[in-house]
Amino acid sequence: MNAPNLTINIPKNMRHIDSIFIHCSATPDGRDVTVEQIRKMHLKNGWNDIGYHFVIYRDGSVLPGRPISQIGAHAKGYNTGSIGICYIGGMNKENTKAADTRTPAQQESLIWLVRELIRTFGTMKIYGHNQVSAKSCPCFDVPSWVDQTHLLEPESTPEPEPDEPEPDEPETPVITQEDVNKWVDKWYRNIFKWGKNGTNDTPVDERILRELDRPIERPLEDDYEELDAPEEPGWLEEL
Ligand SMILES: [Zn+2]
């Protein structure tokens, strides 16, 4: 893509514009024509300068013509509020009839330039010269082209960058009733054992009920010795 070789800034003395007109140079397919050549021709007409504001070369280069702050000379009756763009070409090789000779690079650059103008100056109407004059210029159907290229639709906003993946949060352990039962079982048995050994005078059942605030019905069986080894004495604080 050769197009972005030009920066479009809003001049301080910018006039109001509401439209873009697209033209061709009406020169044979394959022939390069420069801004200077067109300027000379237009000066011969008695004009102040080249009539177009931008010229798109066959290689896709976009060149400035008349300053955009100045009214152009390209579409009779429509120059005041418009910008004129001319692509080089528009006639067949034999120079006998009108032809859409836009090279792929010119097509890309034309889209780029119109988008850039809309981005800079706001939405505008886009016309081919032949829509307001009995001419072939610019030798392609501009309204269909505008539709196909979605030029008047808002440019899609880029997808937001995906968020950084959240660092894995440490999982909060899910405490099931089964876990509670196991703990209670362990407490119960340990406390019972301590009580039995004379290390804790608190009556076992009341103490557990105070901790859990719910009734506990557990048979105190003599097989408690087969469970896990008794915890260290600090077990209650650790739980
Ligand atoms: Zn024209």
Side-chain angles (χ1 to χ4, degrees), residues 4 24 27-28 34 47 62 84 90 100 103 122 125-126 130 134 140 144 151 153 158 175 177 196-197 199 229-231:
C24 65
T27 48
T34 65
W47 300 351
V62 179
D100 180 2
T103 64
K125 291 174 183 143
I126 304 167
N130 55 6
F140 68 98
S144 319
L151 276 171
E153 293 165 24
I175 299 172
Q177 185 61 45
K196 243 186 158 180
N197 296 342
T199 55
E231 302 287 340

Side-chain angles (χ1 to χ4, degrees), residues 2-64:
N2 297 319
N5 53 359
L6 186 80
T7 308
I8 299 171
N9 297 312
I10 303 179
K12 276 184 188 151
N13 53 346
M14 189 59 197
R15 67 206 157 93
H16 173 75
I17 49 167
D18 57 19
S19 51
I20 293 171
F21 278 84
I22 298 172
H23 302 265
C24 65
S25 60
T27 48
D29 189 10
R31 183 187 295 178
D32 288 317
V33 179
T34 65
V35 169
E36 262 328 295
Q37 287 172 307
I38 301 172
R39 178 173 279 127
K40 270 184 192 161
M41 188 174 73
H42 286 179
L43 289 174
K44 276 187 197 166
N45 293 345
W47 300 351
N48 299 324
D49 195 355
I50 182 172
Y52 312 116
H53 298 99
F54 296 98
V55 177
I56 302 179
Y57 283 1
R58 294 179 57 255
D59 69 357
S61 303
V62 179
L63 280 92

Side-chain angles (χ1 to χ4, degrees), residues 106-171:
Q106 280 177 311
Q107 298 195 28
E108 274 192 47
S109 293
L110 186 56
I111 292 171
W112 174 83
L113 178 57
V114 171
R115 276 203 204 289
E116 200 63 13
L117 289 168
I118 290 173
R119 196 179 62 75
T120 309
F121 297 106
T123 297
M124 290 179 274
K125 291 174 183 143
I126 304 167
Y127 299 106
H129 192 185
N130 55 6
Q131 287 176 259
V132 297
S133 175
K135 290 173 178 268
S136 305
C137 176
C139 310
F140 68 98
D141 182 358
V142 170
S144 319
W145 171 75
V146 168
D147 280 349
Q148 284 160 17
T149 52
H150 310 286
L151 276 171
L152 293 181
E153 293 165 24
E155 285 185 68
S156 57
T157 48
E159 290 285 315
E161 304 226 336
D163 288 340
E164 288 288 309
E166 296 281 332
D168 285 346
E169 299 223 353
E171 280 189 28

